[in-house]
Amino acid sequence: MSARTPRWLVGVLLGALTLLGAGLAAETGAAEKVFRFACACDLTKVYTFAVEEIVQAQKDYVELLNLKGGVSGHRFEFLVEDSGNEPQRALEIYERFKRQGALYFDGWSTPIGKALTPRVLEDRIVLGQMFVGRGDAVDGRTFPYVFPMGATYWQQMARAVEHIREREGGAPRGKKVAFVYIDSPFGREPLPVLEELARRLGLEWKGFPVPSPATEQSAAWTQVRAFRPDWAIIWFAGPSTPAAVREALRIGFPLDHLISVVWIGESDMKVVGEARARGVLRVEGWHTGRDVAVVQEIVREVYEKARKGHGPVERVGWTYYNIGLAEVVQLEEAVRVALRTSGEPLTGEKLKRALESFRNFDARGLRPPLTITAEDHGGGQLTRIGQWDGARWTTVSGWKAPFQDVVAEQVRKSAEEFRRSGR
């Protein structure tokens, strides 16, 4: 301005600048009231069978939350990018999303979870890994920022064996168990638990590893038939799962004596043939279907009223959909608790403490009561047995976490190795 500028004009300009500054400050404040969480997940290669449903569920719930005004004035934002199940690529995505302010990550993949673990421990950002990732991460002292919040593969094997014990009247001695699994770290992980429990209970067991990608299993199941087992436990994920069920049918094995790890869902049953797959059992740590109020709310508010659903409405309530939904419902509660008890700004440390305050939290009816402490990030590891009735999954047992001493020993040894080597 020149010295000749009228005073009245200077006043107007200063007032305008003040209003502009206030507006920018308001916009900045609004931008800060966003809670970002992220997924560097496999949308194209190995785990698409589950991740597509999981991402759909989490986008749907974010939509629902934001339609309702968010949490304590904070809008939710879900950042997602395809990792192709490549750990190095996932690390690059992690760094990019971290710069954008994400405070919670997941990869829905054990290799990615293991790759991210050292980074989140250093950055003090929370890593979720329900039903995947490091089993030893239930040890919250060793892994303070990693939250499995569910049953490890060790605990899932223990639950499968417990179901056999129950069905055999508590006296399974002498019964034969075939363990048919993909020959990978995922498939081999529960072997020590099976071996120890077989010794304790007097079971005769034999392993039948199938080379990755395990979509061709005829040779292994021919050997299973020769073994003549009373029970079979299968450990696959993706296309290899229906391949195993089809092979069991081919050799005439009764499906009501076939128990799967958690990664078996409606899409697998459609591949096998829904009626043909009747009787298949699985370990599960959540509720499947639409009889849960929050699932019904998503259908009503997001799909029918707002018409903002992020995938086929038919999948709402399916197995993997509800797993993904449970995670983001838990995350919503953690944000709510963190803001109430620690205030703004949100940080990974505050989110961690909020998760560790959960007591008998059932994620709006999506899972068994979850209690997390600083020492135990597994939340109790309760699971039950579900069965396919030809059209949907039904429940055939109660919630349990059996043989905890055996599982705890595996956690202890593995966590000790991580403390020693960092891997």
Side-chain angles (χ1 to χ4, degrees), residues 148-417:
M149 295 185 285
T152 65
Y153 291 132
W154 296 316
Q155 189 64 64
Q156 291 175 46
M157 174 58 79
R159 188 64 185 92
V161 174
E162 170 68 0
H163 185 70
I164 293 171
R165 188 191 69 80
E166 291 170 338
R167 286 284 299 276
E168 296 295 342
R173 182 169 297 277
K175 297 296 180 179
K176 289 184 175 183
V177 178
F179 179 45
V180 193
Y181 61 98
I182 188 169
D183 195 9
S184 70
F186 157 66
R188 294 188 292 269
E189 185 168 341
L191 281 167
V193 171
L194 175 57
E195 184 174 9
E196 171 59 20
L197 295 180
R199 184 191 65 78
R200 286 191 184 190
L201 300 175
L203 295 168
E204 181 183 347
W205 76 279
K206 188 173 182 180
F208 299 89
V210 182
S212 185
T215 50
E216 171 49 56
Q217 301 181 23
S218 57
W221 284 92
T222 297
Q223 295 173 36
V224 170
R225 179 168 54 193
F227 180 54
R228 299 174 63 85
D230 299 286
W231 290 87
I233 299 172
I234 60 173
W235 222 261
F236 298 101
S240 55
T241 300
V245 178
R246 285 198 303 263
E247 287 297 327
L249 285 166
R250 180 181 66 82
I251 68 169
F253 191 81
L255 295 188
D256 62 353
H257 281 57
L258 181 87
I259 309 173
S260 174
V261 66
V262 296
W263 300 115
I264 184 171
E266 290 79 1
S267 55
D268 300 307
M269 301 297 91
K270 290 181 182 298
V271 172
V272 176
E274 292 172 303
R276 292 186 70 222
R278 184 181 293 111
V280 170
L281 301 163
R282 71 176 183 186
V283 179
E284 58 186 28
W286 64 94
H287 293 289
T288 297
R290 291 191 180 179
D291 60 343
V292 182
V294 64
V295 179
Q296 296 169 8
E297 185 180 13
I298 287 172
V299 173
R300 183 178 64 253
E301 301 296 330
V302 177
Y303 282 82
E304 296 176 355
K305 290 185 180 179
R307 298 189 180 278
K308 291 185 176 181
H310 293 271
V313 68
E314 294 77 17
R315 293 198 305 208
V316 177
W318 279 15
T319 292
Y320 308 130
Y321 186 99
N322 281 14
I323 292 176
L325 181 58
E327 182 183 43
V328 73
V329 170
Q330 291 163 185
L331 192 51
E332 173 202 7
E333 179 67 9
V335 170
R336 196 181 306 279
V337 170
L339 288 171
R340 185 179 69 244
T341 59
S342 302
E344 299 184 41
L346 285 167
T347 64
E349 172 64 28
K350 292 177 182 179
L351 201 62
K352 167 190 176 296
R353 291 201 303 267
L355 287 166
E356 290 172 345
S357 74
F358 280 13
R359 299 294 181 269
N360 295 317
F361 179 70
D362 69 356
R364 299 187 64 181
L366 285 163
R367 59 178 309 163
L370 185 74
T371 293
I372 301 176
T373 66
E375 296 79 18
D376 176 17
H377 285 186
Q381 300 195 64
L382 293 169
T383 56
R384 67 185 181 192
I385 301 297
Q387 185 170 38
W388 183 252
D389 71 358
R392 62 189 181 93
W393 292 100
T394 60
T395 302
V396 296
S397 80
W399 298 109
K400 278 189 177 183
F403 305 112
Q404 291 190 39
D405 59 327
V406 177
V407 175
E409 177 61 15
Q410 294 302 314
V411 171
R412 184 194 66 76
K413 290 193 296 187
S414 185
E416 186 178 89
E417 174 61 28

Side-chain angles (χ1 to χ4, degrees), residues 105-127:
F105 283 80
D106 205 331
W108 293 102
S109 154
T110 295
I112 289 174
K114 288 184 175 180
L116 290 177
T117 293
R119 201 70 61 89
V120 300
L121 294 179
E122 180 180 343
D123 294 337
R124 298 189 174 189
I125 290 174
V126 176
L127 175 65

Side-chain angles (χ1 to χ4, degrees), residues 78-138:
F78 181 32
L79 308 173
V80 58
E81 190 170 327
D82 177 31
S83 70
N85 201 39
E86 298 173 12
Q88 184 56 43
R89 188 169 162 188
L91 286 168
E92 294 167 3
I93 295 169
Y94 167 83
E95 289 297 333
R96 185 159 58 254
F97 285 161
K98 181 180 73 175
R99 289 193 295 271
Q100 294 180 42
L103 296 176
Y104 181 100
F105 283 80
D106 205 331
W108 293 102
S109 154
T110 295
I112 289 174
K114 288 184 175 180
L116 290 177
T117 293
R119 201 70 61 89
V120 300
L121 294 179
E122 180 180 343
D123 294 337
R124 298 189 174 189
I125 290 174
V126 176
L127 175 65
Q129 50 169 39
M130 286 170 53
F131 308 112
V132 299
R134 303 188 63 102
D136 53 8
V138 299

Side-chain angles (χ1 to χ4, degrees), residues 20-37:
L20 178 61
L24 290 172
E27 288 182 12
T28 302
E32 288 174 351
K33 289 185 178 294
V34 176
F35 174 74
R36 294 181 176 89
F37 67 105

